[in-house]
Amino acid sequence: MERIVSKFGGSSVLQFNTIAQIVANNENRRWIVVSAPGDADKRYRVTQMLIRLAGYSVNKGHDSESAQELRNRIVGKYTGILGSSVQHDVERSLDERIARNELRWDEYLANMKAFGEYMTAKLAADALGFTFTDLRDIMVVDGEFDAAKVRPESYDLMQEALHEGRFVIPGFFGYDCKGKVRTFAFGGSDKTGAEIARGVGATLYENFTDSPIRAADPKYVSDAIVIAEMTLSELRDLSYAGFGIYHSEAIEPLIEPRIPLHVLSTKNWNQAGTMVFMERLYEREKPIVGVAYREGLCALGVSRVGLNDMHGVLARTAQVLQEEEIAIEFPATGIDDVSFVVSQQRLDGARLNRILSRFSELTKHGQTSVYDNLGCVVVAGKGIEYDALRISAKASLALADADINVVADTMGLERRCIMYAIPITQGARAVQALYNAFIREGEP
């Protein structure tokens, strides 16, 4: 018998009657994971409003809206979905969270952010006639308050607590060994669903969202096709590179137990969607499964004559970035030069100049360079493993024909994907060029 974990995202929660139909359609959908309610305007997604409301509660707010307005908007989200009968419960629970502003800021913020999923799960369990699952009983985490990691003992707790029955489980957070709330990264409800699937030994993990997985972001390619079948590795590569439809960390729990993932549109839930397996057969005429893109990067480099003869220079320059807490996306090396494509989110002026000074010092007065405001465009697919030279050449030609300035590129020894650092002003054009070369060319 199938054992199905089904996760519903923020936009899906707004269609609660549809969720009820989906759950009733298959009795094997026994574990339901829910997000906080979403909104087409990101500013008014419940989690975003909770973050701003937390700021007001500790005098970090601003005057464009009042705390009472935010509170009312949040309550209104739930009454709009499930009716006025839930208003009292939502107001009481939310006010209890707000009142805990004696907590340290990072702990308080985690508590406030977690309210969205907690409240959705409580109300959804009542509406569906399922059992609400308190994450205190099954999800033990550690790590930062906004970047929690699941501890291994959680899986035994899940097996015991979720063995018999039908359950609704809040996504996005867990509890540490002291009973304090810690949240996953944004999009972490996907991770919760995957962790639950691993813990209960699911035969299938369903992820209901706005759309199945397309071969490119529709904001760059409006008619991008739905990917019918792909591997977890392909999804991981594309998610890391900007596929907003799926959180990259949510893939890892599915790999060892080889749990297939089915990504479906909530609105069109009877349609096929995208199936994601550990493996699939390679189709030579379709070597690339998708193109992804994200921004917020820059390249930091250092060069000097004789650099290649300096022992350990790559490790020592990478250590500088680690000590400055700058995430490395990928390194790029040439003769007598070393560069790193990194996230520029934490690169204020002081940190940037410290890094460059240390690069120069470590390389005996090497010449440093900075390429800022970059994006990363990625092509991924099983075909790279089998035909890397031809695919790399074709991708490079497509980018050259579109006048894309490639700042750095890498493929890696596993040959799972090819990454290109490019100026953000050329991001949309690069995605379109690669989509046309590899995906549109192969369409029926």
Side-chain angles (χ1 to χ4, degrees):
M1 184 176 71
E2 280 194 303
R3 298 167 58 84
I4 303 174
V5 173
S6 304
K7 181 263 177 182
F8 293 92
S11 60
S12 301
V13 168
L14 301 178
Q15 309 168 57
F16 190 78
N17 289 338
T18 303
I19 290 178
Q21 292 175 18
I22 292 170
V23 172
N25 182 256
N26 188 337
E27 64 180 10
N28 295 319
R29 292 183 172 118
R30 292 176 46 204
W31 301 274
I32 308 303
V33 178
V34 291
S35 297
D39 196 284
D41 185 341
K42 292 183 179 180
R43 181 173 170 79
Y44 294 112
R45 294 174 180 174
V46 164
T47 303
Q48 295 297 333
M49 291 193 288
L50 287 166
I51 291 171
R52 299 203 301 280
L53 185 56
Y56 279 110
S57 299
V58 292
N59 300 316
K60 294 185 178 182
H62 49 81
D63 296 329
S64 64
E65 61 192 344
S66 71
Q68 188 62 37
E69 286 173 336
L70 273 174
R71 176 187 177 278
N72 292 343
R73 277 186 178 273
I74 293 167
V75 173
K77 277 287 187 182
Y78 290 99
T79 58
I81 296 167
L82 291 159
S84 59
S85 63
V86 306
Q87 180 172 342
H88 175 72
D89 286 344
V90 177
E91 288 178 334
R92 178 178 53 79
S93 295
L94 180 56
D95 289 342
E96 287 175 357
R97 298 274 176 141
I98 295 171
R100 299 199 65 194
N101 59 5
E102 82 285 352
L103 297 172
R104 199 177 74 184
W105 167 245
D106 52 0
E107 184 180 348
Y108 179 66
L109 181 59
N111 268 274
M112 288 293 288
K113 287 193 297 183
F115 172 82
E117 279 74 11
Y118 169 85
M119 199 73 247
T120 303
K122 285 281 286 185
L123 299 176
D126 289 342
L128 295 172
F130 281 30
T131 300
F132 168 75
T133 301
D134 191 334
L135 287 173
R136 293 178 188 274
D137 300 328
I138 63 169
M139 191 69 75
V140 184
V141 300
D142 53 22
E144 301 297 323
F145 277 99
D146 61 352
K149 303 295 181 184
V150 177
R151 291 183 57 84
E153 59 264 33
S154 299
Y155 305 121
D156 290 337
L157 295 173
M158 291 175 198
Q159 288 180 354
E160 182 177 349
L162 305 176
H163 179 63
E164 294 290 341
R166 306 185 80 182
F167 307 89
V168 178
I169 304 155
F172 189 39
F173 69 97
Y175 290 86
D176 66 19
C177 60
K178 295 181 179 180
K180 296 180 178 181
V181 172
R182 296 177 187 265
T183 63
F184 300 127
F186 276 103
S189 291
D190 289 338
K191 180 174 176 60
T192 301
E195 297 286 6
I196 297 296
R198 176 177 174 176
V200 301
T203 58
L204 179 67
Y205 173 36
E206 296 177 326
N207 194 292
F208 289 89
T209 184
D210 291 332
S211 167
I213 301 173
R214 296 185 178 271
D217 190 326
K219 77 179 177 183
Y220 302 120
V221 181
S222 60
D223 61 344
I225 63 169
V226 171
I227 301 172
E229 190 175 289
M230 64 192 306
T231 68
L232 285 168
S233 293
E234 289 168 332
L235 179 56
R236 161 68 181 168
D237 294 337
L238 292 170
S239 296
Y240 181 79
F243 260 34
I245 198 169
Y246 205 77
H247 194 271
S248 59
E249 288 188 13
I251 298 165
E252 185 178 352
L254 306 175
I255 294 175
E256 184 179 337
R258 305 179 73 88
I259 299 170
L261 164 68
H262 196 184
V263 182
L264 300 119
S265 162
T266 305
K267 182 178 179 180
N268 301 304
W269 59 276
N270 280 318
Q271 295 182 3
T274 302
M275 284 300 307
V276 188
F277 300 103
M278 278 297 297
E279 272 297 348
R280 67 179 181 90
L281 296 177
Y282 163 54
E283 300 176 74
R284 180 175 168 78
E285 65 276 14
K286 298 177 182 179
I288 296 300
V289 73
V291 184
Y293 175 72
R294 68 186 176 103
E295 299 178 345
L297 307 176
C298 66
L300 309 180
V302 61
S303 63
R304 74 179 296 274
V305 174
L307 188 69
N308 277 23
D309 298 325
M310 298 178 68
H311 180 70
V313 67
L314 182 63
R316 283 183 283 141
T317 47
Q319 180 68 25
V320 172
L321 295 170
Q322 180 182 357
E323 291 171 0
E324 292 287 350
E325 299 182 335
I326 301 299
I328 298 174
E329 305 302 320
F330 64 87
T333 62
I335 297 175
D336 290 339
D337 73 83
V338 172
S339 300
F340 298 92
V341 176
V342 303
S343 170
Q344 67 181 34
Q345 182 179 4
R346 297 172 56 85
L347 271 177
D348 54 35
R351 183 176 277 113
L352 173 62
N353 281 278
R354 279 200 307 271
I355 291 169
L356 296 178
S357 294
R358 292 186 65 187
F359 276 11
S360 181
E361 178 184 344
L362 285 169
T363 55
K364 299 179 180 179
H365 307 294
Q367 181 68 40
T368 60
S369 57
V370 179
Y371 296 87
D372 56 6
N373 296 308
L374 299 180
C376 180
V377 62
V378 172
V379 291
K382 283 183 67 71
I384 300 173
E385 176 185 349
Y386 293 91
D387 204 358
L389 183 60
R390 181 179 67 88
I391 292 169
S392 177
K394 185 174 181 177
S396 296
L397 181 60
L399 293 172
D401 286 346
D403 293 324
I404 305 300
N405 176 28
V406 176
V407 176
D409 62 80
T410 187
M411 179 162 47
L413 288 176
E414 289 193 12
R415 299 183 174 186
R416 288 181 6 186
C417 64
I418 309 175
M419 307 171 69
Y420 300 92
I422 60 173
I424 59 173
T425 55
Q426 300 175 1
R429 200 163 75 245
V431 173
Q432 292 158 7
L434 292 168
Y435 183 91
N436 290 337
F438 289 104
I439 311 295
R440 198 179 303 283
E441 183 183 88
E443 289 181 24

